[in-house]
Amino acid sequence: MLSQKMENALNDQMNWEIYSAHIYLSMSSDFSRKGLPGIAQWMLAQYQEEMFHAMRFFNYINEAGGHAKLGVIDAPPYEWESPLKAFEVALEHEQGVTSRINALADLAMEERNHAVGIFLQWFISEQVEEEDTVGDIVGKLKMVGDGGGLFMLDRDLGTRVFTPPTTA
Ligand code: FEO
């Protein structure tokens, strides 16, 4: 059972996850054309992960008696000046997502909706991981600069494949 306010807030986050997915897909496109296939692959895997996040909200809203409603998704930027800049933008974006998930958890607490609180637990842990992963890549990109190290890092990042968690 969801209050209208909660249903709206969960829908808002579902659509934000789709927007997040579009940012990463757009980054994938940009780095693919710039000759960095590994970063493009990493971004594509992140796109898939964000769509998985969106689908968790979609399924939960409907299961909880609400109505998952798809909204207008803003166009993401389509070009970034460097891999470092893109990952810095990604880190800032993920920090914003964390704040949004925390605000949702606050609302669940206010409404004493424990079921929503439990649903959000997974996202609270997930955001710690997302920020940590992207923050690590920002650090590595700062270390390697634009030289040959970037191509080695690109190869490394290209090994990423998104596998949906089995417990989801
Ligand atoms: Fe769905 Fe990257 O948070």
Side-chain angles (χ1 to χ4, degrees):
M1 167 81 193
L2 301 173
S3 69
Q4 193 58 56
K5 187 176 177 182
M6 180 59 82
E7 183 179 327
N8 293 346
L10 291 170
N11 265 306
D12 191 48
Q13 187 57 30
M14 175 188 74
N15 282 289
W16 192 255
E17 298 288 350
I18 297 172
Y19 176 61
S20 305
H22 287 192
I23 292 175
Y24 289 112
L25 189 59
S26 185
M27 286 177 171
S28 179
S29 171
D30 191 30
F31 291 106
S32 171
R33 80 195 175 94
K34 285 174 175 164
L36 290 165
I39 291 177
Q41 167 57 31
W42 193 97
M43 294 298 183
L44 186 67
Q46 187 64 23
Y47 156 77
Q48 292 167 330
E49 184 161 334
E50 296 300 347
M51 286 307 296
F52 174 77
H53 293 172
M55 288 310 297
R56 280 188 85 117
F57 278 97
F58 177 95
N59 290 328
Y60 182 76
I61 294 165
N62 285 337
E63 276 166 16
H67 184 174
K69 292 179 187 150
L70 296 162
V72 175
I73 308 296
D74 287 341
Y78 51 84
E79 191 165 23
W80 288 267
E81 67 187 49
S82 65
L84 175 59
K85 188 69 198 168
F87 276 97
E88 281 175 342
V89 166
L91 181 57
E92 208 175 305
H93 182 80
E94 291 305 334
Q95 287 162 344
V97 173
T98 301
S99 301
R100 295 175 68 101
I101 298 287
N102 287 341
L104 271 176
D106 289 345
L107 179 61
M109 237 186 295
E110 258 169 51
E111 292 194 354
R112 305 171 78 88
N113 191 330
H114 302 300
V116 173
I118 290 168
F119 166 71
L120 291 170
Q121 288 288 314
W122 184 87
F123 282 95
I124 291 168
S125 308
E126 174 72 1
Q127 280 311 120
V128 174
E129 204 183 300
E130 295 256 294
E131 283 190 39
D132 182 47
T133 305
V134 178
D136 275 1
I137 298 172
V138 167
K140 283 179 185 162
L141 283 165
K142 281 183 177 164
M143 273 190 284
V144 301
D146 294 331
L150 178 59
F151 291 97
M152 283 173 68
L153 183 57
D154 184 65
R155 204 171 47 197
D156 204 35
L157 292 173
T159 59
R160 180 180 179 198
V161 177
F162 173 65
T163 313
T166 47
T167 52

